[in-house]
Every structure is written in C-alpha cells, then in structure tokens.
Amino acid sequence: MVPGQQHIVWYATKGDSGVVPPETDKLFPYAGYAVMRESWDSAAIAIFYDGGLPGANHVHYDKNHFQIFGYGESLLFDGDGGYYESSIWRAYAISSLSHNTVSVDGKAQEFDD
C-alpha cells in the first residue's frame, strides 16, 4: 500500500487501522471549499464552507454557505435542492434563501451569466 493512503484506510475502517490524518483543517482554494474540524473524533464539531465560484451546469445559488456537523449528527445541514424538475419548490430549493447563507434585505443571490 502507498504510505499516503494510510489516512484513507483509517477513515474507511473507522479508525480500526491506518493512520489518523495530521490535518484537521483543509482549504481547497481552486474549488473554493474549506473544511475545519476540532479533531478526528466521531463526535467532533466540523464546519464545511463553500466560498467558490458559481458552477456552470449544476448551479445552486448558495455561495458562502456552510454546514455544521457535531456529536455524530448534522446540526446545520444543506437541503440539497431536491429533484430535477421545474416547480416553484425546486426554484426555492436551489435559491440562497433555502441554504445557510446571509440574505440582505430578504433578497436571494443572483449570478450574471
């Protein structure tokens, strides 16, 4: 096994074998994502942040949203967006108003094409 894969083994085996990853925070600058966690304990608090650019084909208006996990649960989650269809519910589900974002004057995010 390649030495760098021992962290993947640790995660996949839920800590039964492999090596605990040394980093608890990671920035993915080209994707615009950041992950921050207090430890690798299964009950640890972890935050996922999306600060990247809008997508090209699969777009949710959710820039600068975040999710929080802790105590083995999802504490502040992303509703996902639902099914690919054209109802008012789908439009709301991909809007910034249905994500964990800041809204100014009740306005949703909009992107120019």
Side-chain angles (χ1 to χ4, degrees):
M1 171 143 320
V2 177
Q5 293 181 342
Q6 288 300 309
H7 305 311
I8 296 170
V9 171
W10 179 85
Y11 187 79
T13 63
K14 298 182 180 180
D16 288 340
S17 62
V19 178
V20 177
E23 299 174 313
T24 54
D25 303 325
K26 184 70 175 174
L27 174 63
F28 301 93
Y30 295 108
Y33 296 130
V35 180
M36 299 157 275
R37 47 184 315 125
E38 62 181 343
S39 73
W40 285 102
D41 181 85
S42 62
I45 302 292
I47 298 173
F48 170 80
Y49 171 75
D50 178 359
L53 296 172
N57 297 315
H58 178 88
V59 177
H60 288 209
Y61 297 94
D62 62 350
K63 294 303 119 191
N64 296 313
H65 92 276
F66 59 96
Q67 299 174 61
I68 301 175
F69 306 88
Y71 314 105
E73 303 286 332
S74 179
L75 303 175
L76 188 60
F77 62 93
D78 178 9
D80 188 33
Y83 298 106
Y84 288 93
E85 38 89 12
S86 59
S87 72
I88 60 170
W89 302 112
R90 169 70 177 169
Y92 176 76
I94 64 171
S95 77
S96 57
L97 300 175
S98 75
H99 289 78
N100 304 316
T101 60
V102 174
S103 172
V104 177
D105 295 333
K107 303 286 185 187
Q109 294 177 10
E110 297 178 5
F111 304 133
D112 293 329
D113 292 335

